[in-house]
Structure formats: structure tokens, C-alpha cells
Amino acid sequence: MARLELANVSKSYGAFDAIQNVSLAIEDGEFAVFVGPSGCGKSTLLRLIAGLDPISDGAIRIGADDVTRRPAGTRSVAMVFQSYALYPHMTVFDNIAFPLQMEKRAKADIRQQVERAANTVQLTTRLKDRPAKLSGGQRQRVAIARAIVRKPDIFLMDEPLSNLDAALRIEMRSELTQLHKTLGATMVYVTHDQLEAMTMADRIVVLNGGKVEQVGTPMDLYHYPANRFVGGFIGSPPMNMLAARVLGNGAFDVAGVGQVVMPRLGRKLAEGVAVTLGIRPEHLGSDVAEGGFTARIMPHNVERLGAQTMVHARIDDQNFTCVLSGDRPLTQGEAITVGCKADRIHVFDESGLTVAK
Ligand code: ATP
């Protein structure tokens, strides 16, 4: 297994800069997840690491080797695609064995490797079947086993669970986490699903417009988003964003809410400065009496989920969501007061950067 290092990596398609000056290191044995909205460059970055596309600028190192100019087949990586990319006319055994057969390995060696990989992904009873007879989850496990037999330094996975239904995705999520522990492998995993990123990653790389917005553990990103984009992207339902202005008395003025107590911040904000307040829906309660943010809202939609009650309202033309714990028999159009403590409020400055606490 090996460390992966990207140094000032850029990729352009004609005049379009798909990846812009990305530098990051993924440690040996780490499970790193690239996450971001559609078109942010996640798959492009993975393809550059795999060597499937040439990079325009920068360097890629795997372990001690500079692989920047090395063609795909000669890098010690194995890629698993969303589409599985299995050969339909071959059995599961032959699909898994394919990379070893290309290397002209001895038959007994191939059998041993295939059986071991099939055992890891729980497919030993299906080795004689063709892919058409397998479920989506089983097909993806064949693709993963085919990657395992290559014993790569790094596994690259491009949205491998997107073709599976919701229940199977959850099951496969924990299987992949387990597989990572079993193999101790370095894994780079691409998804647009922040929940997948949160549940699987050791560290998440948030991409946006071909640039890295933030790199950190899931809880780093949740508790300490570096900027407004990360604050809004990580967490579900998304963080509420409210436009606000700094008042002379040190509080915020929020249209449709009134005065909001300012959390303790690392720097002083001048009177009149425009900021955005970020408040997570799950940090709001209907019984918050002391300080911070308090608003009277009129729900236009109430979703009772049993364990939680999701309340959707508008505050001065801005959508606002609260996740209240437990089942609350609220009705649409019945005003409620919600609030959170000041230290739960995230403050983003005019350029979208977090004002540190
Ligand atoms: P998604 O989640 O939708 O798959 P992504 O984050 O993986 O998105 P990429 O597939 O990496 O995004 O694409 C990043 C940008 O580069 C997009 O704007 C895409 O249109 C562009 N792009 C990708 N491949 C090419 C190509 N071969 N030629 C021109 N533009 C490309």
C-alpha cells in the first residue's frame, strides 16, 4: 500500500479548467472520499490519478514513484466503476481472474487468488454464474474482487454504489468500510452523496469548480466548515443560511427575525458589515429560552417522521428548515418559536469564509 500525493495538479479541456492547482496527500491506508456537486471535477481527478487522462500540469506521486507520465496500466492502482464494467459472456470466476490471466500467471496461483478475493467479498458460491444472474450489489462485488486480485497500492472507486437501490447502498457502504479495514488499503472514493462521504471516509476532500474547498475528517467538516460552501454542502438537510448585518451593540440584525446574539468570535466585526449566519436544522429547538437565535416561524410544510419532525418555513423570503427531535403534532400554518444557542451559529463573512470562533 502507498501514500498518494498530488502536487499542483491541473487539467484543462481546451479553454475549460476542469481541475485547478490541486495539492493534497492521501496517507498510506487511508480511506479518502472526493465529494462535491455534479461537474466539480471528482471523476476527472480520479481519472488523472489512474492515468486514464493525461494531466495538464503538476505531478502525481504514488509512494516514492513519480507516476505523472506513466501510462494507466503501469501504475499500481485498480479502478472500480459505477457501471461495474464486467464481461457478460464470462463467469464470475473468469471476470475476477481476468487481470491475472492477462499477466499470464500460473493456473493454480490464479485459482488461489480468485478464491481468496471471492471469499473476501462473499461470492464463493457464485463463481460459476454469469453476471446476468447476479444482483446489482453482487455485480459490484465481482468488480471489487477483480480489483482486489491485482493487489494494487491504491484502490480508486468512482461512484461504485450509485446504481444500487437505497437499502443495498446502505448495506454496501458498511461492507466497503469493512473491506477497507480487512485490506488495510489506501482507497480513494468518489461520490456526490455527502452522506456516503460522511459515513465512509477517514478524510473528505470537498471539491467545487475544480478546486479543493476543504480537506478534513467528517466531523471537522461538520463542526468547522472553512467556508459557506462546505457549511452548506456537508450536513443533511442543509444548513440554513440567513443574510445578516452587524449592529453597533455587537448583535446581528436579521431581516424577518430581529436581533440575534453574536457568538464569541476570533475577530471583531465592524458595524454595518454584511455576513451570513449558518444554522444547522438539527441545532434548532422549540424550547430554547436563553440567548442566541430565536425566531417565530409559520410552517408551510410539516413532515412527521416519528423520530424527528421536519418543519419547513420561510423567513423573509428565505427557506428555513428545522429538525425537531421526536414526533411533534404540529400543523401547517400554526406558528412556533424555534431557536438555538449563540455558540451553534456559524458566521460567514462577505467573501464566504468562516469567521473563526
Ligand atoms: P458528476 O458527479 O456529474 O460525475 P464530476 O464532479 O465527476 O461530476 P467530472 O466528470 O470530473 O465531474 O467533470 C468535471 C468538468 O469537466 C465538467 O464540467 C465536465 O463537463 C468537464 N469534462 C469532463 N471530461 C471532459 C472532456 N473529456 N472534455 C471536455 N470537458 C470535460
Side-chain angles (χ1 to χ4, degrees), residues 309-331:
T309 304
M310 200 105 72
V311 180
H312 302 278
R314 288 181 82 73
I315 291 182
D316 191 44
D317 261 16
Q318 303 183 81
N319 286 324
F320 196 82
T321 304
C322 313
V323 177
L324 305 177
S325 61
D327 177 27
R328 313 283 181 101
L330 302 171
T331 52

Side-chain angles (χ1 to χ4, degrees), residues 84-138:
Y84 321 135
L86 302 180
Y87 298 105
H89 60 286
M90 290 186 189
T91 61
V92 167
F93 183 98
D94 287 335
N95 265 287
I96 300 174
F98 190 75
L100 303 176
Q101 266 151 1
M102 294 310 282
E103 288 174 18
K104 305 218 178 331
R105 299 267 278 269
K107 264 198 166 153
D109 181 25
I110 292 178
R111 173 153 295 280
Q112 192 190 24
Q113 296 299 331
V114 171
E115 281 172 0
R116 192 178 291 170
N119 186 39
T120 306
V121 298
Q122 295 158 39
L123 274 178
T124 28
T125 59
R126 310 305 299 263
L127 286 171
K128 291 190 182 132
D129 290 328
R130 290 190 202 286
K133 283 182 80 177
L134 304 183
S135 70
Q138 289 165 334

Side-chain angles (χ1 to χ4, degrees), residues 240-315:
N240 295 300
M241 299 288 181
L242 293 171
R245 201 159 279 284
V246 178
L247 294 173
N249 63 1
F252 293 117
D253 179 49
V254 178
V257 173
Q259 288 203 15
V260 170
V261 177
M262 199 182 281
R264 201 186 292 257
L265 297 173
R267 66 177 153 107
K268 193 169 160 33
L269 296 170
E271 183 180 351
V273 162
V275 294
T276 301
L277 304 188
I279 301 173
R280 294 205 181 277
E282 61 275 28
H283 288 163
L284 289 154
S286 55
D287 46 8
V288 175
E290 83 249 52
F293 167 90
T294 312
R296 189 134 180 93
I297 58 168
M298 180 76 80
H300 60 70
N301 191 17
V302 176
E303 296 168 294
R304 290 171 66 184
L305 306 175
Q308 299 170 327
T309 304
M310 200 105 72
V311 180
H312 302 278
R314 288 181 82 73
I315 291 182

Side-chain angles (χ1 to χ4, degrees), residues 21-307:
N21 210 27
V22 167
S23 293
L24 61 101
I26 292 158
E27 299 304 327
D28 190 5
E30 192 171 22
F31 196 135
V33 177
F34 293 171
V35 72
S38 182
C40 70
K42 310 177 287 289
S43 298
T44 300
L45 198 53
L46 206 68
R47 292 173 63 79
L48 297 180
I49 297 167
L52 295 171
D53 285 328
I55 71 173
S56 306
D57 206 1
I60 300 176
R61 282 183 278 274
I62 296 177
D65 299 334
D66 186 331
V67 300
T68 314
R69 306 280 159 227
R70 277 205 212 153
T74 65
R75 300 184 186 190
S76 183
V77 301
M79 189 130 164
V80 177
F81 297 93
Q82 177 180 346
S83 59
Y84 321 135
L86 302 180
Y87 298 105
H89 60 286
M90 290 186 189
T91 61
V92 167
F93 183 98
D94 287 335
N95 265 287
I96 300 174
F98 190 75
L100 303 176
Q101 266 151 1
M102 294 310 282
E103 288 174 18
K104 305 218 178 331
R105 299 267 278 269
K107 264 198 166 153
D109 181 25
I110 292 178
R111 173 153 295 280
Q112 192 190 24
Q113 296 299 331
V114 171
E115 281 172 0
R116 192 178 291 170
N119 186 39
T120 306
V121 298
Q122 295 158 39
L123 274 178
T124 28
T125 59
R126 310 305 299 263
L127 286 171
K128 291 190 182 132
D129 290 328
R130 290 190 202 286
K133 283 182 80 177
L134 304 183
S135 70
Q138 289 165 334
R139 284 180 213 183
Q140 193 51 284
R141 282 196 229 138
V142 178
I144 292 166
R146 187 177 52 191
I148 292 173
V149 294
R150 296 186 51 201
K151 299 206 168 88
D153 283 328
I154 300 173
F155 286 83
L156 305 174
M157 302 197 176
D158 194 356
E159 307 240 14
L161 308 185
S162 322
N163 284 347
L164 308 180
D165 67 43
L168 197 53
R169 259 206 319 264
I170 294 172
E171 194 183 315
M172 285 293 284
R173 242 164 38 199
S174 71
E175 278 186 26
L176 279 176
T177 312
Q178 197 50 49
L179 181 73
H180 172 246
K181 287 200 182 100
T182 311
L183 298 173
T186 309
M187 289 193 178
V188 185
Y189 186 104
V190 160
T191 180
H192 62 272
D193 180 348
Q194 60 93 27
L195 197 65
E196 231 168 80
M198 293 294 276
T199 50
M200 297 171 77
D202 290 324
R203 268 193 317 156
I204 297 176
V205 178
V206 182
L207 292 164
N208 183 30
K211 292 184 184 154
V212 174
E213 292 277 354
Q214 190 172 3
V215 182
T217 66
M219 285 308 113
D220 275 346
L221 301 190
Y222 178 82
H223 291 296
Y224 311 105
N227 54 44
R228 187 185 160 146
F229 178 82
V230 176
F233 192 78
I234 297 291
S236 177
M239 186 183 268
N240 295 300
M241 299 288 181
L242 293 171
R245 201 159 279 284
V246 178
L247 294 173
N249 63 1
F252 293 117
D253 179 49
V254 178
V257 173
Q259 288 203 15
V260 170
V261 177
M262 199 182 281
R264 201 186 292 257
L265 297 173
R267 66 177 153 107
K268 193 169 160 33
L269 296 170
E271 183 180 351
V273 162
V275 294
T276 301
L277 304 188
I279 301 173
R280 294 205 181 277
E282 61 275 28
H283 288 163
L284 289 154
S286 55
D287 46 8
V288 175
E290 83 249 52
F293 167 90
T294 312
R296 189 134 180 93
I297 58 168
M298 180 76 80
H300 60 70
N301 191 17
V302 176
E303 296 168 294
R304 290 171 66 184
L305 306 175

